[in-house]
Amino acid sequence: MREIKFEVAENKKIARDIYRMTLIGDTSDITAPGQFVNIKLPYQYLRRPVSVCDYADGELTLIYKTVGAGTKFMSELSKGSNLLALTGLGNGYDIADAKNPVIIGGGVGVPPLYGLAKKLLEHNIKPSVILGFNSIEDCFYGNEFKALGFDVKIATMDGSYGTKGLVTDFIESCEYAYVCGPVPMLKAVYEKVQDGQFSFEARMACGFGVCMGCSIRTKNGFKRICADGPVLKYSEILWENS
Amino acid sequence: MVDITTELSGLKLDNPVIPASGTFGYGQEFSKIYDINILGSIAVKGTTKNARFGNEQPRIAECTSGMINSVGLQNPGIERVISEELPELQKIFHKPVIANISGFSVEEYVYCAEKINNVPNVGIIEINVSCPNVHGGGMAFGSDPQRVAEVTRAVKEVTRKPVYIKLTPNVTDIAEIAVSAENAGADGISLINTMLGMRIDIKTRRPVIANKMGGFSGPAIFPVALRMVYQVHKAVKIPVIGMGGISCAEDVIEMMMAGASAVQIGAANLVDPFICPKIIHDLPEVCERIGIHKLSGIIGTID
Ligand SMILES: Cc1cc2nc3c(=O)[nH]c(=O)nc-3n(C[C@H](O)[C@H](O)[C@H](O)COP(=O)(O)OP(=O)(O)OC[C@H]3O[C@@H](n4cnc5c(N)ncnc54)[C@H](O)[C@@H]3O)c2cc1C
Ligand SMILES: Cc1cc2nc3c(=O)[nH]c(=O)nc-3n(C[C@H](O)[C@H](O)[C@H](O)COP(=O)(O)O)c2cc1C
Ligand code: FES
């Protein structure tokens, strides 16, 4: 873990309340898709954890939703502004045991799955992709996944885009799923798949494993979402925390 | 050359900067990002007799210039702390540490202190009296001078190591509690622990943290902590470790002028993991700028 000073190269609205920020800076501590960075903002005491959407040498992409003062501030940063972030946080997705996986994302849980999809592709694994959003205004990145050659299915709650309904409506039989999204979605997907990896959120203070603020129970004892997660294996998840 | 060394009950510290209990784990994570041996000492996470998972999620709420935590003393229990965490820490940190103990009964404090007494790398035992006293109707030990004296006396009986009582600020007369600990044999006082605080999410109309209330700390509490350190230093003769909201070298000096012989850094470690090395680096420079040649010479110099 290091603190890196990034420079904003692009900060663009891509859907309702959703922004994509491209940052220039040292990404060498980022080792897996599904990890996150913890962003220092001038007017907020705690840092803001945001998943790595995509990363390359010297370039980092984040996608975030404006929900409060911190993310609102981020959305107003212009090209050339600096942003301090702790990088290389969390375990990220493990692509080693992917047999015949499906990628399933909901809302602002979609971003880390894009980086994962690219990584899987590098290993000649081409999962199908299922994305869920509330409404057409909230949809993003369907085309980016398609551009990589993935078969993409999109569900919206109100039917304004893709198929009306939930991501789980697309799941018939699924051996292995990579999942990120709101907890009710994670839980619904968990019920329908045999195995997989699920990314969780928690209110964090440190983000690097020392405060126990994000600790949850699992079948293998307690785990810190920030340091032992945010990605948990199917076999260890206990839902009593949420 | 500015002398930034200090002393706590005969224990010589290279500098007054000590990470506070609960904000540094057992040092492992920090040892990967900087040389932790530059620290004056380390106060390790609060230990209880039995392992504790702690409170439900969410445990963290943000505040203006601070945070609330309701971690709830999550720790692996005294046996594992002694057999694993402290020996592991000794491998990477070559100075005496401060072992922080919590309990819900006098017996629990005594049990832990007696065990810790034999751990070689523990230099000071810090007794956190902020927990509710399960035998005393659930009121925090630390808000009753009699209970504080009782715990202090009982712990002093089972250990040769210096015992520091860590006070809760959630009381009306902090000096009275400190004096009570001193009279019962305490070797020093640590203060302050977190202040009881609360946040409500106005959208969901529910408290932000599951436990409703939690411990408020960070820069916002610095003036309160400073005031209490000042009052306690005036009231007792034993050394005081000052903490609460410290985030820079200037804060350290201010806290020492108020009466602290050493300081602890809590929440600041969480938002800036490199804060302790920064403060240690800045201290001599800031001292020089304001004409301090010997840092320990300023302890409690405010009337
Ligand atoms: C591991 C991880 C990865 C994340 N990845 C993304 C991402 O890729 N894109 C995205 O838009 N959001 C992501 N989030 C959620 C994001 O951290 C919050 O939306 C953000 O912190 C809100 O800050 P705010 O100041 O706008 O909101 P406020 O509500 O004002 O924030 C107040 C406090 O609550 C915390 N908080 C609020 N919502 C959340 C939340 N959902 N999870 C954790 N803490 C929260 C804030 O960090 C802050 O401490 C992620 C969260 C975690 C834990
Ligand atoms: C996440 C967290 C966990 C803490 N855990 C403990 C603990 O186990 N024992 C204890 O005596 N104090 C604990 N504290 C209190 C701190 O040691 C310190 O007294 C307090 O936070 C004030 O300092 P600060 O404002 O610098 O954080 C904890 C504080 C935080 C923020
Ligand atoms: S947020 Fe501090 S341990 Fe996870």
Side-chain angles (χ1 to χ4, degrees), chain B residues 9-10 23 45 159 168 198 200 215 229 271:
Chain B
S9 307
T23 62
K45 176 69 194 167
T159 178
T168 166
M198 185 173 179
I200 294 168
V229 166
V271 293

Side-chain angles (χ1 to χ4, degrees), chain A residues 48-51 63-65 67-71 108 201-204:
Chain A
R48 296 297 187 264
V50 178
S51 299
I63 292 180
Y64 59 94
K65 182 175 180 177
V67 296
T71 44
V108 84
E201 282 185 354
R203 299 262 171 166
M204 295 179 176

Side-chain angles (χ1 to χ4, degrees), chain A residues 1-3 40 44-48 67 86 202-206 208-217 222 224 241, chain B residues 22-23 25 29-30 33 53 56-60 62-63 65-67 71 74 203 208 218-219 267-271 273:
Chain A
M1 175 181 75
R2 272 183 307 160
E3 183 165 56
K40 177 82 198 129
Q44 266 71 40
Y45 188 64
L46 297 176
R47 287 171 186 263
R48 296 297 187 264
V67 296
L86 295 169
R203 299 262 171 166
M204 295 179 176
C206 70
F208 54 93
V210 299
C211 75
M212 301 295 142
C214 65
S215 194
I216 60 153
R217 294 186 190 85
F222 83 85
R224 299 158 299 179
N241 297 292
Chain B
T23 62
E29 290 78 9
F30 283 92
I33 61 170
F53 169 68
E56 295 308 314
Q57 286 289 335
R59 296 175 172 187
I60 302 291
E62 187 177 51
C63 310
S65 284
M67 58 173 281
V71 168
Q74 176 169 353
K203 278 178 252 162
V208 173
N269 288 302
L270 309 178
V271 293

